């Protein structure tokens, strides 16, 4: 039943700091999302705060490859959802179970198209996907590594109940600069 619900997508309402409410859906990525994915992911501000595997510029071939990966992900180890607003795929969120001695831990990753920032969507999505991950996987901890200067992203996970566990000094090398990252976690 849970797998069927994950396939169909579920509606949520986010409350932004501006008092507005915005409806969104979490659902599996579909091939028809390629152009929307490319449109919203092709943003230097987004790429600057993600690992180098997230390219900039973000081309149609990148979108096609990501959607193919998401559609083939092992549902026993990973959940990957499109964040959909007004029938447009405007972001992505995933939880990936780790391996070996970290097999009771999962990693959270996400991004959202810039026109939708500040509406509470990502905090609501993180909270819901974290709940789904704890219900679906045999895990006791979900973590997110966030670049220390990305205050908005740090606030997203804090609003979803994550706590900062540590600062990793001079841990990231991105775009010619070295900087710190923060580890946040939600523990069950």
């Amino acid at each position: 039943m849970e797998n069927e619900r994950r396939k169909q997508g579920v509606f949520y309402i986010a409350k932004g700091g501006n008092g507005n409410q915005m409806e969104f859906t979490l659902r599996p990525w579909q091939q028809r999302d390629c152009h929307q994915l490319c449109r919203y992911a092709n943003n230097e501000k987004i790429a600057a705060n993600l690992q180098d595997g997230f390219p900039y510029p973000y081309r149609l071939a990148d979108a096609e490859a990501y959607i193919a990966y998401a559609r083939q992900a092992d549902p026993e180890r990973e959940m990957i959802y499109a964040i959909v607003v007004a029938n447009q795929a405007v972001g992505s969120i995933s939880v990936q179970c780790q391996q070996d001695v970290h097999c009771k831990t999962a990693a959270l990753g996400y991004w959202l198209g810039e026109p939708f920032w500040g509406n509470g969507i990502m905090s609501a999505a993180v909270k819901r996907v974290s709940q789904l991950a704890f219900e679906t996987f045999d895990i006791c901890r979900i973590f997110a590594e966030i670049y220390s200067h990305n205050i908005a992203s740090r606030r997203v996970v804090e609003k979803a109940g994550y706590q900062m566990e540590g600062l990793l000094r001079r841990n990231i090398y991105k775009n010619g600069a070295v900087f710190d990252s923060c580890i946040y976690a939600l523990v069950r």
Side-chain angles (χ1 to χ4, degrees), residues 2 12 14-15 18 25-26 40 67 71 73-74 78 84 92 98 100-101 107-108 135 138 157 159 164 178 187:
E2 181 62 33
Y12 301 98
K15 295 181 182 177
N18 55 11
T25 304
L26 299 176
Y40 290 107
I67 290 173
R71 292 173 58 82
D74 179 357
E78 190 169 15
V84 180
S92 189
Q98 304 297 283
D100 201 358
V101 296
L108 172 71
E135 292 169 8
D138 183 21
V157 295
K159 287 180 185 176
M164 188 169 141
V178 176
V187 178

Side-chain angles (χ1 to χ4, degrees), residues 93 108 110 112 117-118 120-127 144 146 150-162 184:
I93 187 165
L108 172 71
Y110 55 85
L112 185 65
W117 294 356
I121 293 170
M122 194 50 76
S123 291
V126 166
K127 188 172 189 173
I146 301 170
N150 190 346
I151 303 302
S153 190
R154 292 173 64 177
R155 189 72 187 113
V156 161
V157 295
E158 289 168 355
K159 287 180 185 176
Y162 284 65
Y184 282 83

Side-chain angles (χ1 to χ4, degrees), residues 77-135:
R77 303 201 37 77
E78 190 169 15
M79 56 177 60
I80 304 172
Y81 292 112
I83 300 169
V84 180
V85 175
N87 294 317
Q88 292 187 74
V90 301
S92 189
I93 187 165
S94 67
V95 175
Q96 182 180 43
C97 295
Q98 304 297 283
Q99 298 179 12
D100 201 358
V101 296
H102 300 287
C103 64
K104 298 294 184 184
T105 298
L108 172 71
Y110 55 85
W111 66 269
L112 185 65
E114 186 174 3
F116 302 92
W117 294 356
N119 290 301
I121 293 170
M122 194 50 76
S123 291
V126 166
K127 188 172 189 173
R128 183 59 187 135
V129 166
S130 299
Q131 292 169 344
L132 286 172
F134 281 130
E135 292 169 8

Side-chain angles (χ1 to χ4, degrees), residues 5 8 58-59 72 111 116 124 130 136 180 185:
R5 193 170 83 195
Q8 294 174 359
Y58 201 100
R59 297 186 168 90
Q72 294 174 9
W111 66 269
F116 302 92
S130 299
T136 304
D180 302 341

Side-chain angles (χ1 to χ4, degrees), residues 145-182:
E145 182 177 0
I146 301 170
Y147 302 165
S148 62
H149 61 265
N150 190 346
I151 303 302
S153 190
R154 292 173 64 177
R155 189 72 187 113
V156 161
V157 295
E158 289 168 355
K159 287 180 185 176
Y162 284 65
Q163 294 183 342
M164 188 169 141
E165 292 185 332
L167 176 71
L168 303 177
R169 296 179 346 160
R170 300 183 57 80
N171 187 50
I172 302 297
Y173 179 75
K174 179 82 177 183
N175 297 332
V178 176
F179 48 88
D180 302 341
S181 65
C182 302

